[in-house]
């Protein structure tokens, strides 16, 4: 019994050992089919996973997880092994013996069955792994720099190189401000900077691009910054605003970053946003764009640069680029018209692009001619231009108050490309009442300068330097497209004709004048207008009428009739052919501002007293002696100016001016001693400019100077003394010989002394703000600043500390400007001609740290002593090519070359 049990146990154990290998052989066929099915299911699962992963990766913001990547690799490797095994199974099945029931080689079948079983288990494991996936992909980290789509730029390479040089210079950190008018290409330049950083490694850890726009949203800016730093959504969403700022500051403290901020409209506090201000310690940098130069200063920019309009050839290139084909392949007329159209856009890229796209595909010259005419006359009607104006209008809307906006729109009354004198413009603003009460005209001028500065900083007005007769003048200019936009706004976005600027003779015809009806402000400009044929229609009731620089000879009778009750500002200046006073002016009962400067008008009628609201009367540079037939004392004038004009009944006029209670601003030229003395006795509170000419009997000018300042000439800015050969002294009762503690001429900036009897001009110690001093033909003058004033007293007076130019000509006895060295400001220029006795200047080569220049005759240079190693620029008297060299080399050059006089600039 025990034996039998033992035998059964042995058999059972042997069967247990043999059943699994036999199963590999006996179940081979079923296992192979199961493997085929499992492999097919696995292959389908793999294809599904691949498709899902590829879809998510296509957006560029995700990548497959390592788990998925490994699984797909395992499936691919598995499928390769299965293919080989299944092929062996097919071959084994083909060569079976015993009626194809048993395998020919049991050992081979065993090994095959074992492999099939193993692969079947692997397939099940792979399917199990797939079910464990929670995510097939994960978000990609943001690249350090995101490429921004842009087109090839035109005309920005110089600026791009300048910014790039600053970015690459590790010694320079901080902020770089790019400013310029709307549509000039600031954003395009920033995109180019961003993409250059992408291509070139400047060793920054991260570069972040932020667009601010007019309505600042600090949360949005922070969100852009955190994405640039790869802070995940779930982490960011869990932080409060304070925590967000704190974490951004901490993260950026450890990084060297570049922050590119586009379209900044007002000061942005980077610290409040969470951006650590760039410093030499962190080596980080910020570049930003803005339409306002003032914002650059408010942001504390270390360097600034204006993005200007394109040059003509660059403008034509950009225009041609947006047409879509080369102009060389176009009709000759189209080529000519295209250049004119591009010229009308005045180099503004936004306008060039807009008009260029509008002209794409236009093949007929008539189409191009129509567009050119429309641009010149009604640009807002051209396709796309209103959108341009809306973009530019953001700059107008960002102006801080309505006064500045009104002043800006007023500039539309000047013609296209007109160089505006800033003083004229501000006076018109005041005359219009745009700046407030004209009783305080001096404060209004300061207010006008502030408004002008605001408009320049907003890039809505430009400054342009003009050189005339060797002198430099800064004028104001309005870009043509900005002017078109301003006109469009002033006309209620093109809906009304409130503002008219007339420059053509045909607009003065009956048909042309019929359009004047609804205009509130009208200006007539230019030599093409030679006649005013008739009075405008009865409905014409403007508040402002400007007629300037025309060839008009007379204003027809009845011209002012319809304007009698409404016209407030009348400017007839710069009309040389108008010889008689238009009588109709005397009926303009609302008139507040009248400018008759630079006309041929000689006589003002007594009826001028009817102008009971007149505040400004300007009669500058008239060609003939002015005669006032009636009393002007009854006029409520705040401003009277007959600068550079001669008065026929001078003493009577001066007497009447003295009786005007409201007069605050007087500019006058007089020829009689009594008038000159009265001005310095009775007009201290209101004199702004005074010229005294040809006063033969005038020997001295006594001035009562109050230490309290109540009797000072606090508003006197310009003082001319011409051909007064007996005038030897300015008698100021306090100050000469001691440093004045209250200046007699605190606002005096310009002094001209021609052909007078002065021995010196020591009274100039009372003019601490003097900027320009010209002295000519004073045969007795030995010193400009005489003896008796100690060095310390001169230093305390601030004498010449703001001087820009000192011109001394034909002073045969002059030996010294001043016996003590004076501290001149940087950039001062000396002109010395015909002063053979003057051999040195009151300059100290050790104390003159700033630059200055001297223009002088050849023989004067031979005696002038200066450090021969000092660096200078050498050139002719006019602005031209200058060579840099040492003063010793320049002195030898003057001596050796046949030149009459030379300009030497002494470098700082």
């Amino acid at each position: 019994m025990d034996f039998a049990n033992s035998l059964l146990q042995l058999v059972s154990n042997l069967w247990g050992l043999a059943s699994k290998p036999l199963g590999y052989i006996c179940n081979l066929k079923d296992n192979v089919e199961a493997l085929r099915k499992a492999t097919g299911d696995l292959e389908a699962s793999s294809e599904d996973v691949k498709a899902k992963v590829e879809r998510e990766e296509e957006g560029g913001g995700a990548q497959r997880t390592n788990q998925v990547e490994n699984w797909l690799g395992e499936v691919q490797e598995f499928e390769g092994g299965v293919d080989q095994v299944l092929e062996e199974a097919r071959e084994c099945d083909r060569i079976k013996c015993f009626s194809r029931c048993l395998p020919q080689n049991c050992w081979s079948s065993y090994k095959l069955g074992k492999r099939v079983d193993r692969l079947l288990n692997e397939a099940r494991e792979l399917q199990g792994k797939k079910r464990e996936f929670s995510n097939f992909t994960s978000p990609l980290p943001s690249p350090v720099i995101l490429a921004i789509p842009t087109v090839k730029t035109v005309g920005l390479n110089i600026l791009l190189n300048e910014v790039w040089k600053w970015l690459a210079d590790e010694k320079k950190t901080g902020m770089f401000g790019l400013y310029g008018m709307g549509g000039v290409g600031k954003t395009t330049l920033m995109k180019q900077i961003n993409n250059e950083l992408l291509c070139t490694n400047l060793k920054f850890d991260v570069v972040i691009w932020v667009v601010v726009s007019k309505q600042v949203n600090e949360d949005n800016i922070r969100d852009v910054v955190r994405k640039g730093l790869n802070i995940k959504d779930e982490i960011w969403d869990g932080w409060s605003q304070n925590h967000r700022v704190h974490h951004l500051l901490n993260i950026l403290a450890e990084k060297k970053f570049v922050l590119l901020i586009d379209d900044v409209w007002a000061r942005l506090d980077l610290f409040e946003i969470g951006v650590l201000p760039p410093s030499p310690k962190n080596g980080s940098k910020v570049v930003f764009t803005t339409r306002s130069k003032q914002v650059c200063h408010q942001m504390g920019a270390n360097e600034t640069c204006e993005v200007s309009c394109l040059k003509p050839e660059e403008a034509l290139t950009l225009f041609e680029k947006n047409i879509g084909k080369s102009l060389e392949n176009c009709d000759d007329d189209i080529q000519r018209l295209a250049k004119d159209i591009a010229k009308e856009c005045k180099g503004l890229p936004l306008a060039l692009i807009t008009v260029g796209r509008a002209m794409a595909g236009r093949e007929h010259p008539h189409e191009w001619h129509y567009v050119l005419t429309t641009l010149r006359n009604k640009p807002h009607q051209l396709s796309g231009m209103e959108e341009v104006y809306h973009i530019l209008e953001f700059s107008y809307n960002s102006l801080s108050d309505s006064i500045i906006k009104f002043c800006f729109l007023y500039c539309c009354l000047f013609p296209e490309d007109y160089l505006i004198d800033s003083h004229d413009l501000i006076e018109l603003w005041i005359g219009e009442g745009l700046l407030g009460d004209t009783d305080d005209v001096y404060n209004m001028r300061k207010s006008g300068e502030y408004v002008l500065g605001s408009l320049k900083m907003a890039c809505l007005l430009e400054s342009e330097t003009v050189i005339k007769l060797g002198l430099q003048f800064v004028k104001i200019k309005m870009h043509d497209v900005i002017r078109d936009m301003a006109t469009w706004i002033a006309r209620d976005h093109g809906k009304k004709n409130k503002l008219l600027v007339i420059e053509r003779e045909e607009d003065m015809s009956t048909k042309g004048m019929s359009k004047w009806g609804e205009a509130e402000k009208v200006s007539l400009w230019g030599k093409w207008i030679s006649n005013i044929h008739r009075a405008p229609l009865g409905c014409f009731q403007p508040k402002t009428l400007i007629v300037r620089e025309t060839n008009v000879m007379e204003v027809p009778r009845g011209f002012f009739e319809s304007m009698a009750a409404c016209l407030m500002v009348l400017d007839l200046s710069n009309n040389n052919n108008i010889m008689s006073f238009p009588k109709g002016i005397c009926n303009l009962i609302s008139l507040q501002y009248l400018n008759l400067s630079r006309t041929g008008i000689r006589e003002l009628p007594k009826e001028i007293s009817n102008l009971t609201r007149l505040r400004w009367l300007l009669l500058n540079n008239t060609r003939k002696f002015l005669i006032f037939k009636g009393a002007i004392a009854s006029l409520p004038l705040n401003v009277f100016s007959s600068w550079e004009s001669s008065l026929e009944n001078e003493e009577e006029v001066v007497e009447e001016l003295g009786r005007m209670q409201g007069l605050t601003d007087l500019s006058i030229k007089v020829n009689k001693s009594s008038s000159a003395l009265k001005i310095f006795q009775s007009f201290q509170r209101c004199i702004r400019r005074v010229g005294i000419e040809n006063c033969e009997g005038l020997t001295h000018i006594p001035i009562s100077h109050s230490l309290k300042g109540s009797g000072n000439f606090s508003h006197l800015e310009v003082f001319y003394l011409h051909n007064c050969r007996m005038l030897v002294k300015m008698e100021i009762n306090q100050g000469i010989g001691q440093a004045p503690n209250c200046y007699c001429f605190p606002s005096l900036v310009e002094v001209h002394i021609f052909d007078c009897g002065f021995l010196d001009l020591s009274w100039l110690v009372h003019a601490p703000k003097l900027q320009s001093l010209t002295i000519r033909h004073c045969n007795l003058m030995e010193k400009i600043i005489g003896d008796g004033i100690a060095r310390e007293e001169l230093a305390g007076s601030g004498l010449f500390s703001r001087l820009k130019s000192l011109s001394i000509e034909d002073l045969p006895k002059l030996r010294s400007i001043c016996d003590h060295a004076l501290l001149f400001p940087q950039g001062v220029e000396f002109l010395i001609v015909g002063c053979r006795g003057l051999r040195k200047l009151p300059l100290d080569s050790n104390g003159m740290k700033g630059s200055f220049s001297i223009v002088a005759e050849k023989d004067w240079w031979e005696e002038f002593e200066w450090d021969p190693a000092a660096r200078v620029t050498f050139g002719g008297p006019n602005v031209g090519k200058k060579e840099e060299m040492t003063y010793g080399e320049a002195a030898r050059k003057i001596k050796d070359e046949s030149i009459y006089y030379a300009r030497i600039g002494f470098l700082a």
Side-chain angles (χ1 to χ4, degrees):
M1 195 65 182
D2 292 336
F3 173 77
N5 289 336
S6 298
L7 181 63
L8 286 171
Q9 184 64 42
L10 177 63
V11 170
S12 176
N13 289 339
L14 290 172
W15 179 252
L17 290 170
S19 62
K20 195 168 185 178
L22 287 173
Y24 291 152
I25 298 171
C26 296
N27 298 325
L28 180 60
K29 183 175 181 180
D30 293 337
N31 286 347
V32 166
E33 286 303 318
L35 181 60
R36 281 199 183 97
K37 185 176 183 308
T39 302
D41 291 343
L42 189 60
E43 188 175 354
S45 295
S46 174
E47 291 300 320
D48 290 343
V49 170
K50 279 183 185 177
K52 181 177 178 62
V53 166
E54 286 171 359
R55 278 196 305 273
E56 293 182 11
E57 287 180 332
E58 275 180 8
Q63 66 180 5
R64 63 193 67 188
T65 63
N66 292 332
Q67 189 180 27
V68 168
E69 180 71 17
N70 291 339
W71 183 82
L72 289 172
E74 289 176 3
V75 169
Q76 186 175 7
E77 186 179 349
F78 170 81
E79 288 173 349
V82 167
D83 288 342
Q84 185 179 352
V85 167
L86 292 178
E87 180 60 33
E88 290 182 19
R90 281 193 292 274
E91 181 64 22
C92 180
D93 190 57
R94 186 178 63 79
I95 58 173
K96 279 182 180 178
C97 60
F98 299 111
S99 301
R100 303 180 64 82
C101 293
L102 292 174
Q104 191 175 41
N105 188 323
C106 290
W107 179 244
S108 297
S109 296
Y110 165 75
K111 289 194 295 182
L112 179 61
K114 188 174 182 180
R115 286 165 62 195
V116 167
D117 187 67
R118 179 175 55 79
L119 290 173
L120 196 55
N121 288 329
E122 278 187 38
R124 294 185 186 114
E125 286 177 12
L126 288 171
Q127 285 286 17
K129 283 183 180 180
K130 185 241 179 183
R131 286 191 289 271
E132 293 174 3
F133 295 159
S134 56
N135 292 303
F136 292 93
T137 61
S138 60
L140 271 175
S142 299
V144 173
I145 307 170
L146 289 171
I148 299 174
T150 186
V151 295
K152 188 178 179 182
T153 58
V154 175
L156 293 175
N157 287 343
I158 293 175
L159 270 179
L160 179 62
N161 290 338
E162 190 168 337
V163 179
W164 191 256
K165 185 179 178 181
W166 180 80
L167 285 169
D169 190 341
E170 293 189 1
K171 295 179 182 177
K172 293 185 177 181
T173 55
M175 289 190 264
F176 197 118
L178 294 163
Y179 67 94
M181 71 171 74
V184 81
K186 302 182 296 296
T187 298
T188 302
L189 177 60
M190 282 284 272
K191 288 179 179 178
Q192 198 71 20
I193 293 167
N194 180 87
N195 292 347
E196 288 290 330
L197 284 166
L198 177 64
C199 300
T200 309
N201 180 19
L202 290 184
K203 297 181 180 177
F204 290 106
D205 299 323
V206 62
V207 176
I208 302 171
W209 169 284
V210 178
V211 178
V212 176
S213 297
K214 195 170 183 182
Q215 301 301 324
V216 179
N217 188 319
E218 292 186 353
D219 286 336
N220 287 349
I221 298 172
R222 290 188 196 99
D223 195 53
V224 172
V225 173
R226 69 94 180 174
K227 286 177 179 176
L229 297 173
N230 299 320
I231 299 174
K232 293 182 179 180
D233 293 354
E234 55 269 23
I235 298 174
W236 183 255
D237 292 340
W239 288 339
S240 67
Q241 182 171 302
N242 288 339
H243 280 103
R244 289 174 178 179
V245 172
H246 176 74
H247 284 293
L248 288 179
L249 289 171
N250 284 341
I251 294 170
L252 288 173
E254 302 299 322
K255 293 186 180 293
K256 183 181 177 183
F257 64 86
V258 175
L259 182 61
L260 304 176
I261 315 176
D262 191 36
D263 206 17
V264 180
W265 288 81
R267 180 181 177 274
L268 199 63
D269 191 327
L270 297 181
F271 199 85
E272 287 293 320
I273 290 168
V275 176
L276 199 67
S279 67
K281 184 179 179 181
N282 57 30
S284 298
K285 306 196 180 192
V286 172
V287 184
F288 65 90
T289 69
T290 176
R291 294 192 189 189
S292 170
K293 186 178 181 181
Q294 188 176 23
V295 169
C296 292
H297 298 302
Q298 291 172 343
M299 290 282 289
N302 303 83
E303 296 195 33
T304 63
C305 197
E306 182 177 8
V307 184
S308 302
C309 290
L310 302 178
K311 295 175 183 176
E313 60 273 14
E314 296 168 341
L316 188 60
T317 299
L318 182 60
F319 181 66
E320 184 178 16
K321 189 176 179 183
N322 284 276
I323 294 170
K325 64 177 181 179
S326 173
L327 288 171
E328 292 180 358
N329 302 324
C330 295
D331 180 273
D332 288 346
D333 287 341
I334 289 179
Q335 290 187 40
R336 176 179 54 80
L337 289 164
K339 290 178 182 178
D340 289 341
I341 290 172
K343 189 177 178 182
E344 283 297 313
C345 296
K346 295 295 178 185
L348 185 65
L350 179 62
L352 289 160
I353 292 167
T354 301
V355 179
R357 288 171 181 170
M359 298 313 298
R362 303 285 181 179
E363 303 288 348
H364 202 286
H366 287 170
E367 296 176 287
W368 290 75
H369 192 273
Y370 166 78
V371 168
L372 179 59
T373 305
T374 304
L375 266 179
R376 286 174 173 170
N377 300 317
K378 297 178 180 178
H380 66 277
Q381 293 183 357
L382 192 66
S383 174
M385 284 307 290
E386 279 213 13
E387 187 176 342
V388 172
Y389 294 159
H390 280 301
I391 292 171
L392 297 176
E393 192 180 12
F394 279 122
S395 294
Y396 168 79
N397 291 333
S398 71
L399 295 173
S400 57
D401 59 49
S402 58
I403 290 175
I404 299 178
K405 290 180 179 179
F406 284 134
C407 290
F408 167 67
L409 295 181
Y410 196 88
C411 297
C412 299
L413 285 171
F414 292 83
E416 195 173 275
D417 294 325
Y418 191 85
L419 294 176
I420 307 169
D421 184 278
S422 61
H423 301 294
D424 283 354
L425 179 59
I426 291 172
E427 287 186 349
L428 279 166
W429 285 344
I430 299 171
E432 289 276 356
L434 296 178
L435 300 178
D437 187 359
T438 58
D439 288 342
D440 189 4
V441 67
Y442 295 101
N443 196 45
M444 291 303 98
R445 281 199 176 92
K446 294 173 184 175
S447 176
E449 293 289 351
Y450 175 81
V451 169
L452 206 55
S454 299
L455 293 173
K456 288 179 187 176
M457 285 188 168
C459 297
L460 290 171
L461 291 181
E462 306 169 0
S463 293
E464 185 162 319
T465 301
V466 178
I467 299 176
K468 192 174 181 180
L469 300 175
L471 300 175
Q472 288 189 349
F473 301 92
V474 178
K475 300 285 188 176
I476 306 301
K477 186 179 178 184
M478 201 177 211
H479 189 279
D480 284 0
V481 180
I482 294 290
R483 181 179 177 274
D484 291 339
M485 180 270 294
T487 304
W488 174 72
I489 293 172
R491 293 174 175 173
D492 288 346
H493 298 83
K495 296 173 186 176
K496 294 182 180 179
N497 213 18
K498 290 185 175 182
L499 183 148
L500 278 176
V501 180
I502 296 167
E503 300 178 74
R504 302 179 302 177
E505 183 72 23
E506 54 263 36
D507 290 328
M508 300 302 298
S509 65
T510 302
K511 182 180 178 181
M513 293 178 76
S514 66
K515 301 175 183 177
W516 293 19
E518 62 183 5
E520 294 179 1
K521 299 185 188 299
V522 176
S523 63
L524 284 66
W525 293 83
K527 61 182 181 179
W528 302 112
I529 299 175
S530 56
N531 287 296
I532 299 177
H533 302 288
R534 48 157 294 184
L537 299 176
C539 60
F540 180 53
Q541 296 184 331
K543 294 180 180 179
T544 302
L545 177 62
I546 298 174
V547 183
R548 274 199 185 185
E549 301 175 19
T550 71
N551 285 320
V552 171
M553 298 183 69
E554 63 179 14
V555 179
R557 187 182 299 274
F559 182 80
F560 294 108
E561 188 174 333
S562 66
M563 315 174 207
C566 59
L567 194 66
M568 298 170 62
V569 172
L570 177 60
D571 186 346
L572 297 179
S573 62
N574 293 287
N575 293 292
N576 293 323
N577 294 337
I578 295 180
M579 309 302 291
S580 60
F581 184 89
K583 293 276 182 77
I585 292 175
C586 296
N587 298 322
L588 300 173
I589 58 174
S590 296
L591 197 64
Q592 298 181 18
Y593 177 98
L594 177 59
N595 190 349
L596 301 173
S597 302
R598 292 173 289 279
T599 64
I601 292 173
R602 182 181 182 190
E603 190 175 297
L604 273 71
K606 62 182 180 180
E607 289 83 5
I608 198 173
S609 61
N610 295 339
L611 304 179
T612 57
R613 296 186 181 180
L614 193 66
R615 298 287 185 267
W616 286 67
L617 181 56
L618 306 180
L619 299 157
N620 303 318
N621 298 93
T622 55
R623 296 191 330 220
K624 299 181 179 179
F625 277 82
L626 283 169
I627 301 173
F628 289 83
K629 274 203 165 181
I632 61 169
S634 61
L635 294 176
L637 294 180
N638 299 133
V639 179
F640 177 86
S641 181
S642 58
W643 186 242
E644 299 291 359
S645 297
S646 297
L647 303 173
E648 181 80 15
N649 47 341
E650 175 190 296
E651 291 172 305
E652 181 184 336
V653 172
V654 170
E655 191 68 34
E656 293 199 18
L657 289 170
R659 294 200 297 270
M660 287 184 180
Q661 296 300 311
L663 190 65
T664 57
D665 185 332
L666 174 63
S667 296
I668 193 169
K669 183 184 77 172
V670 296
N671 301 95
K672 298 184 182 299
S673 299
S674 60
S675 300
L677 293 172
K678 180 155 182 80
I679 285 171
F680 279 93
Q681 289 168 3
S682 307
F683 289 86
Q684 292 99 325
R685 62 182 175 82
C686 65
I687 190 72
R688 185 166 71 92
R689 293 179 294 184
V690 60
I692 300 173
E693 291 188 3
N694 306 312
C695 291
E696 294 183 2
L698 186 66
T699 59
H700 67 286
I701 299 176
I703 295 177
S704 177
H705 170 42
S706 169
L707 292 175
K708 295 180 180 179
S710 59
N712 293 351
F713 292 81
S714 56
H715 298 305
L716 182 62
E717 296 175 2
V718 180
F719 188 17
Y720 285 9
L721 286 167
H722 293 182
N723 302 319
C724 301
R725 295 179 181 177
M726 297 181 69
L727 179 61
V728 297
K729 196 172 186 182
M730 293 282 289
E731 287 185 350
I732 301 175
N733 62 10
Q734 182 273 335
I736 301 301
Q738 59 180 338
N741 55 15
C742 183
Y743 298 108
C744 183
F745 305 118
S747 301
L748 190 60
V749 294
E750 185 178 343
V751 173
H752 287 223
I753 311 290
F754 295 174
D755 199 5
C756 293
F758 288 112
L759 297 177
D760 62 55
L761 301 176
S762 297
W763 52 271
L764 289 175
V765 295
H766 283 279
K769 295 181 181 178
L770 190 65
Q771 295 179 14
S772 174
L773 175 60
T774 304
I775 311 167
R776 294 179 188 165
H777 308 295
C778 294
N779 296 331
L780 301 178
M781 189 174 294
E782 297 180 356
K783 294 182 179 181
I784 294 178
I785 305 300
D787 299 329
I789 303 178
R791 184 195 305 269
E792 295 78 12
E793 294 167 347
L794 280 174
S797 72
L799 178 67
F800 297 160
S801 61
R802 301 192 186 187
L803 201 68
K804 293 181 179 178
S805 66
L806 172 59
S807 299
I808 47 178
E809 300 179 44
D810 298 316
L811 308 179
K813 290 190 176 182
L814 187 70
R815 297 290 179 268
S816 169
I817 292 175
C818 182
D819 288 340
H820 303 295
L822 299 173
L823 186 61
F824 289 92
Q826 181 165 328
V828 65
E829 179 169 294
F830 299 90
L831 172 63
I832 305 167
V833 178
C835 302
R836 296 182 180 274
L838 181 68
R839 290 307 177 191
K840 61 185 296 187
L841 298 179
L843 304 172
D844 184 342
S845 59
N846 294 319
M848 283 302 293
K849 301 299 183 184
S851 60
F852 64 99
S853 60
I854 301 174
V855 180
E857 299 160 295
K858 182 173 183 173
D859 60 349
W860 187 88
W861 283 113
E862 291 177 0
E863 301 291 331
F864 183 65
E865 295 182 5
W866 201 258
D867 179 1
R871 300 300 297 176
V872 302
T873 58
F874 176 84
N878 298 318
V879 177
K881 186 177 179 182
K882 298 176 183 177
E883 300 177 67
E884 186 172 329
M885 59 187 70
T886 65
Y887 174 68
E889 291 170 331
R892 286 192 294 274
K893 205 173 183 69
I894 294 171
K895 186 177 181 179
D896 296 341
E897 293 187 8
S898 57
I899 57 175
Y900 178 61
Y901 57 100
R903 176 194 296 271
I904 293 183
F906 295 80
L907 302 177

